[in-house]
Amino acid sequence: MGEFSTNTALLFSVVIMFLTVYFSYRGFKDKVFFEKYLFRVDNILVSKDYKRLLTSGLLHGNWFHLIFNMYAFFSFSEALESQMGSGQYLMIYFFSLVGGSLFALYIHRNHGDYSAIGASGAICGLIFASVALFPGISIGLILIPAQIPGWLFALIFVAISIYGIKSNAGNIGHDAHLGGALAGMLVAIAMNPEIIFYNYIPILCLLTPTIIFLYFILAMPEILLINTSFSSRNSYMSKDEEYNLKKFNKQKDIDRILDKINEKGLDSLTSREKELLDEF
């Protein structure tokens, strides 16, 4: 691992934290700014606004969300950047952020209005990179005084993420977390392949269930109740799909009303049709 001077060791950690706080604060105050940079499937896939894969990691929903993530960020970034050097550290953070966004984009590619924000995917990448790079690392949890082995924390994290993706429960981006964590660990291994030989047990414990889960998503998504263009429809419908179905039906009503106006004029509309048009 590279060694850098104290003056430059935390360069990118400070820059990333500054940008995240700045973007988040702007987003708190300016709804237009927030909407411009958040992760939203249609804006990325349809409008080709790929910058959102990165900029969404700079936005947060509120002060608690921001402070919690920045605390976790600095807890791991300091050791990583000091030991690895700014170049390798930045690559881990960047690929973790993009990897988490891409995995979320794949999972939700049929849910056009799905949106997400937060640096959690990148931070999960830093955590998993730390587990891979530093044998014997222990991780403490907020409000819990005891610490647990890093590999055990990461294994529990993988299990919770898999369950969260499968059940589509809560308002947590489990997909981005898992994608970012996997990307962070793989990048750390690619840049420091020697760690496989002295830390292979934790690495295998974490990669094995994650890779098996990814295989099921790609090969048999219907088993996990994840609807993709490659799977048949079934009775299960996620919250995102219910929303999109309602939106689709409402758009059909609006199109019908506009056609009616074009053919017969505005006065031909019923009171209910006028209400729908006003809502639109």
Side-chain angles (χ1 to χ4, degrees):
M1 301 180 192
E3 294 183 0
F4 282 64
S5 68
T6 305
N7 292 333
T8 60
L10 301 180
L11 172 63
F12 283 113
S13 295
V14 173
V15 171
I16 290 171
M17 181 174 286
F18 173 80
L19 288 174
T20 303
V21 172
Y22 171 76
F23 265 69
S24 296
Y25 180 74
R26 282 285 305 273
F28 297 159
K29 300 292 185 179
D30 188 342
K31 185 67 174 178
V32 175
F33 181 89
F34 185 85
E35 289 286 335
K36 182 179 179 181
Y37 292 109
L38 62 73
F39 176 103
R40 182 175 284 123
V41 173
D42 269 354
N43 291 103
I44 297 171
L45 292 182
V46 179
S47 303
K48 312 299 181 186
D49 193 3
Y50 299 121
K51 73 175 186 296
R52 293 171 181 263
L53 296 171
L54 285 172
T55 57
S56 58
L58 300 173
L59 296 172
H60 289 79
N62 51 54
W63 281 110
F64 177 80
H65 187 202
L66 173 63
I67 293 171
F68 179 86
N69 270 356
M70 290 300 94
Y71 173 80
F73 167 77
F74 201 75
S75 297
F76 290 91
S77 63
E78 182 177 8
L80 272 177
E81 189 169 5
S82 298
Q83 293 297 318
M84 300 183 67
S86 295
Q88 289 193 14
Y89 165 81
L90 183 62
M91 288 185 66
I92 291 176
Y93 190 88
F94 173 81
F95 281 104
S96 298
L97 177 56
V98 174
S101 294
L102 288 176
F103 189 52
L105 186 64
Y106 179 82
I107 294 292
H108 296 284
R109 65 191 185 278
N110 293 327
H111 310 148
D113 274 346
Y114 177 83
S115 60
I117 51 172
S120 300
I123 295 169
C124 290
L126 298 182
I127 295 174
F128 270 56
S130 299
V131 172
L133 290 166
F134 307 131
I137 187 175
S138 296
I139 297 176
L141 303 176
I142 296 177
L143 302 180
I144 299 179
Q147 292 193 329
I148 62 176
W151 65 267
L152 179 59
F153 170 86
L155 192 59
I156 294 172
F157 170 87
V158 169
I160 292 174
S161 297
I162 290 174
Y163 174 79
I165 296 172
K166 180 181 181 299
S167 62
N168 194 33
N171 190 29
I172 301 174
H174 294 287
D175 32 48
H177 294 179
L178 186 61
L182 181 62
M185 175 172 280
L186 292 178
V187 172
I189 294 172
M191 293 189 296
N192 301 273
E194 69 277 4
I195 65 177
I196 296 176
F197 299 103
Y198 63 79
N199 203 23
Y200 62 90
I201 293 179
I203 291 174
L204 287 177
C205 286
L206 301 176
L207 289 183
T208 300
T210 305
I211 292 174
I212 291 174
F213 178 67
L214 294 179
Y215 168 77
F216 278 116
I217 288 179
L218 296 173
M220 294 175 285
E222 65 280 358
I223 293 178
L224 298 174
L225 302 179
I226 296 173
N227 293 304
T228 71
S229 56
F230 303 104
S231 61
S232 58
R233 301 290 296 183
N234 52 47
S235 58
Y236 171 79
M237 183 174 288
S238 69
K239 293 178 181 178
D240 289 323
E241 289 176 308
E242 289 177 357
Y243 175 82
N244 287 333
L245 180 59
K246 291 179 181 178
K247 181 181 177 182
F248 175 75
N249 289 333
K250 189 171 184 179
Q251 185 63 52
K252 285 177 61 178
D253 289 337
I254 295 298
D255 290 342
R256 179 183 55 79
I257 292 172
L258 293 176
D259 288 339
K260 186 175 182 180
I261 294 174
N262 186 50
E263 293 177 3
K264 301 180 181 179
L266 188 61
D267 293 336
S268 65
L269 298 184
T270 64
S271 58
R272 176 56 182 161
E273 288 173 335
K274 290 179 180 178
E275 290 177 3
L276 287 174
L277 190 60
D278 287 339
E279 290 177 7
F280 179 76

